[in-house]
Amino acid sequence: AQAEVLYKRALALAPDTRLTLDSLANLYAYLGDLARQGPLLARAYPAIRTNPNFVDTVGMYLVYRRDWNAARKLYAGAKEPQNLYAAYYPIEVKRGDAEWYAGDRAAARAQYLRAVPFIEAMQRLYPKSRRWHAELGWVYARLGRDADALQQGRLASSADDSSRGAVRYAPHGALALARIEAQVGEGPDAIASLDKLLAMPTGTLVSVPLLKLDPVWDPIRDDPRFQALLRKYPSPGPPSATSVAPAAATDGEADGSG
């Protein structure tokens, strides 16, 4: 519980620190503890809602609760993050995801199509960045461009990134590939990718509770091999403070510039 203790200690010193509130909320999500995450976000929301870079923590909480309409409303009112080093997504992708889960595939497709030109431009600008390969692959998958999606996912997973964050963010690329594989019907490959991720230290990036909560994995949820994977790994205790991976790319990994 070292990470949780340190976050709470930091909040005792500075109760309204957005990054600490956001990090503790992500820790509770990693543990699958929405009962503790919810009240924390209720407390944090006045601070978070003024900064679009953190709105996704609230959005993912709503998605994990499968409160699709609330997630749609939140993302619809969110502004595009201005700081690309802190923002991990174009807001249209999150709006598209919310519409997708709510069952409005036409509205989802419209949002994804709006995001494509920007993501493709960023991917061309920073061709070694896992982040933009991952984003582009995810959108292609949702648009039914399966082959293109898998190509981008594999590039995200194996990007030859020489930036300072290359090793630190390698699991992000592997998780991106697994998400894409699950979406395009490559369930066995997605499960194999997740098996490798769960066997290594990844901070708060992936855990059995998160796999149970996240609707991203619904396409493979009923696969006996996925269920066996959930049983294979015990539900985690809190990661150590030194292993907690941030939810968004920072430094060079945000744009691949190093």
Side-chain angles (χ1 to χ4, degrees):
Q2 182 185 7
E4 183 179 10
V5 169
L6 292 177
Y7 285 141
K8 287 184 173 180
R9 188 177 299 166
L11 286 175
L13 296 172
D16 295 324
T17 304
R18 286 193 295 258
L19 182 58
T20 307
L21 289 166
D22 185 68
S23 297
L24 184 55
N26 280 314
L27 175 61
Y28 288 149
Y30 165 86
L31 297 172
D33 195 343
L34 298 186
R36 280 198 290 175
Q37 190 189 30
L40 181 69
L41 290 176
R43 168 187 167 189
Y45 189 65
I48 289 175
R49 69 177 179 176
T50 61
N51 189 326
N53 293 332
F54 295 104
V55 73
D56 193 41
T57 303
V58 180
M60 290 310 300
Y61 167 74
L62 296 172
V63 166
Y64 293 155
R65 289 186 57 195
R66 298 180 181 250
D67 191 344
W68 312 134
N69 287 332
R72 293 164 89 180
K73 183 178 179 180
L74 176 75
Y75 287 125
K79 297 179 181 179
E80 180 68 30
Q82 298 301 307
N83 181 356
L84 289 178
Y85 286 90
Y88 197 57
Y89 55 88
I91 196 65
E92 290 85 1
V93 177
K94 292 300 181 177
R95 289 172 181 161
D97 288 346
E99 296 291 353
W100 181 280
Y101 297 133
D104 192 339
R105 299 298 168 83
R109 180 177 178 82
Q111 291 291 341
Y112 293 135
L113 287 172
R114 289 190 187 101
V116 166
F118 174 76
I119 301 173
E120 288 181 336
M122 294 301 292
Q123 191 274 325
R124 288 192 297 270
L125 189 60
Y126 302 110
K128 294 182 178 181
S129 173
R130 289 182 175 85
R131 171 192 174 182
W132 297 113
H133 287 304
E135 289 287 349
L136 190 56
W138 178 247
V139 171
Y140 282 166
R142 284 286 169 87
L143 291 172
R145 296 174 57 176
D146 293 2
D148 292 334
L150 286 170
Q151 180 186 37
Q152 292 297 322
R154 289 166 185 148
L155 287 170
S157 182
S158 61
D160 182 18
D161 189 344
S162 59
S163 72
R164 287 171 294 173
V167 174
R168 186 181 186 187
Y169 288 101
H172 288 262
L175 182 62
L177 176 59
R179 283 160 48 94
I180 292 166
E181 289 168 337
Q183 180 63 38
V184 303
E186 300 291 338
D189 289 339
I191 293 165
S193 297
L194 289 172
D195 197 356
K196 293 177 182 177
L197 278 167
L198 288 168
M200 66 175 70
T202 59
T204 57
L205 181 65
V206 63
S207 66
V208 168
L210 276 176
L211 295 180
K212 292 178 178 178
L213 289 171
D214 197 336
V216 161
W217 310 111
D218 284 358
I220 60 174
R221 194 163 304 283
D222 294 332
D223 189 316
R225 290 163 294 192
F226 182 74
Q227 292 299 319
L229 184 71
L230 299 181
R231 294 190 296 269
K232 178 179 178 180
Y233 294 93
S235 293
S240 68
T242 56
S243 71
V244 176
T250 57
D251 299 327
E253 182 62 16
D255 60 9
S257 64

